[in-house]
Amino acid sequence: MKNHGEPADSFDGRPVIGICNTFSELTPCNAHFRELAERVKRGVLQAGGFPVEFPVMSLGETNLRPTAMLFRNLASMDVEESIRANPIDGVVLLAGCDKTTPALLMGAASCDLPTLLVSGGPMLNGRFQGRTLGSGTDVWRLSEEVRAGTMPLSTFLDAEAANSRSAGHCNTMGTASTMATMAEALGIALPTNAAIPGPDARRATLAQMAGRRIVEMVHEDLRPSQILTREAFENAVKVIGAVGGSTNAVVHLLAIAGRVGAPFSLDDWDAFGRDIPCIVDLMPSGRFLMEDFYYAGGVPAVMKTIADRLRLDALTVTGKSVGENIAEAVCWDREVIRSLDNPLTSQGGLAVLRGNLAPLGAVIKPSAATPALLQHRGPALTFASIEDFHERVDDPDLPVTADTVLVLKNCGPRGYPGMPEVGNMPIPKKLLEQGVRDMVRVSDARMSGTAYGAAVLHVAPEAAAGGPLALVEDGDMIELDVFARRLHLDVDAAELDRRRVRWTPPPPTMTGGYQSLYVSHVLQADQGADLDFLVGCRGAAVPRESH
Ligand code: FES
């Protein structure tokens, strides 16, 4: 490092702090991270540490093909090996766009060096033609208007520009905001991390404070394994329920728990989150956006509101407990962050469904679905792939009514591969023209955190792994009962056995390279869709030294 002018005593007695940066111009949500990294460095230097910034694979949701989720585990490997192999004592993770947060936390958790995550912050509110627009959520909504013929494409494109007008990630309670909220609720990020907008000067202040704090954490030897406990996961599930967070949080939180070895399962999701009301009125479940959420008090105000349901003794990166962190928190706007006796919906948590159609579980976000569809029985209309769906969805002769259950197969972790966000399949055009805007959809795919609808997701085992989803045929009756947590295929077991004998797995869509490794080793959604050989904490020690 002398080649960039470091005096020989730069490291004397100073913790070396890695700044793990997912900056990339191909990840627009993280494109302001160079400035953020400089602020972390300033904080590290102020506290007597030595900062070293290093790049890792960045995952931009809108640009990566076939889907960013395919690469979450690859990025986590990059993070883990970069942290372990380099001579660093602690690490600040800079994350923003959806998959960057879980990828960084998974990699860091497998090393267990002192770790603190800083999010890039959401974009400012979108405004267009006198109304507020939210990332993703309004793209979905307006794109259906374009398909229904009620909005010209040029207006849609202008709305899109109004929606994406500043540095930061999606400004709805989509996956990126949910992940930032999750990190704060887990205690692995500083209080207020989730909601400060990307361009707000207070985001830079937070980054600088993180730089100072990580140096102290190294001196205190405060590690993720002390923070990412079962109690922390319980808090995260409850807070995600209270904010109406993304269904994607399920797979990511399970994967992070798997890395750190915390006892936390899919059934815990339902148990911890079941009675948590959604109190935050943010899109896609509600009306407001992350900027409003910050002004209302952000995650600390939510945690204060539901404090009697949280594990207040859980330790956080501040060195203090959750209870101590939120002691002074105040809610400044009860329209945005409601009180417990006036929730947006009484059941904010994500519901875990089971039944003969999903023996290992499936997930639905009740707060984003039309209430009347939470109990529904209807005939299946099946699609063998998302391409098959797109080919037929707007066919005027498609045998579909508002009662039909759309069933999409082969979009799971192994089948696609990479479990893309296609589970909120668009409503068939002929139904859109009749005014239908929601219907029950069942798949082994995920859904964008900014999306909404009665979409049953993450069905496990997935169709490509021979799960019962593969055996559904057109006209089979499907029963969804979210209140009873039930997803049932009304076909008798003997008939399903006959179909199973006839079933053959779909041919692989991609071969060679990382994709082959992924398909051979990816776990099902109920285990976080991590690669089997990456589960667990391997520590930061390097047993051999070749220099
Ligand atoms: Fe990056 Fe939505 S596209 S957070």
Side-chain angles (χ1 to χ4, degrees), residues 27-30 59-62 96-98 135 168-170 175-177 450:
T27 306
C29 306
N30 299 16
L59 305 176
E61 199 62 31
T62 50
C97 200
D98 296 11
S135 321
H169 57 69
C170 286
T175 302
S177 298
T450 59

Side-chain angles (χ1 to χ4, degrees), residues 330-384:
V330 176
C331 173
W332 300 104
D333 188 339
R334 282 291 177 205
E335 258 203 275
V336 178
I337 302 173
R338 299 186 179 205
S339 56
L340 276 173
D341 55 10
N342 179 34
L344 191 67
T345 58
S346 57
Q347 297 247 323
L350 304 171
V352 176
L353 310 170
R354 288 193 190 265
N356 69 345
L357 188 48
L360 296 180
V363 167
I364 188 170
K365 183 177 182 179
S367 63
T370 303
L373 292 173
L374 296 177
Q375 279 174 313
H376 181 81
R377 178 181 163 90
L381 179 62
T382 62
F383 299 90

Side-chain angles (χ1 to χ4, degrees), residues 402-449:
D403 285 339
T404 301
V405 176
L406 301 178
V407 175
L408 176 63
K409 306 178 184 183
N410 300 317
C411 290
R414 197 192 298 179
Y416 188 72
M419 210 182 174
E421 295 184 332
V422 295
N424 56 316
M425 297 92 92
I427 306 293
K429 195 170 179 179
K430 69 192 254 188
L431 296 182
L432 281 177
E433 287 164 355
Q434 294 166 22
V436 176
R437 291 293 184 269
D438 196 7
M439 59 194 299
V440 175
R441 291 156 269 185
V442 177
S443 75
D444 44 16
R446 295 177 303 115
M447 171 173 92
S448 164

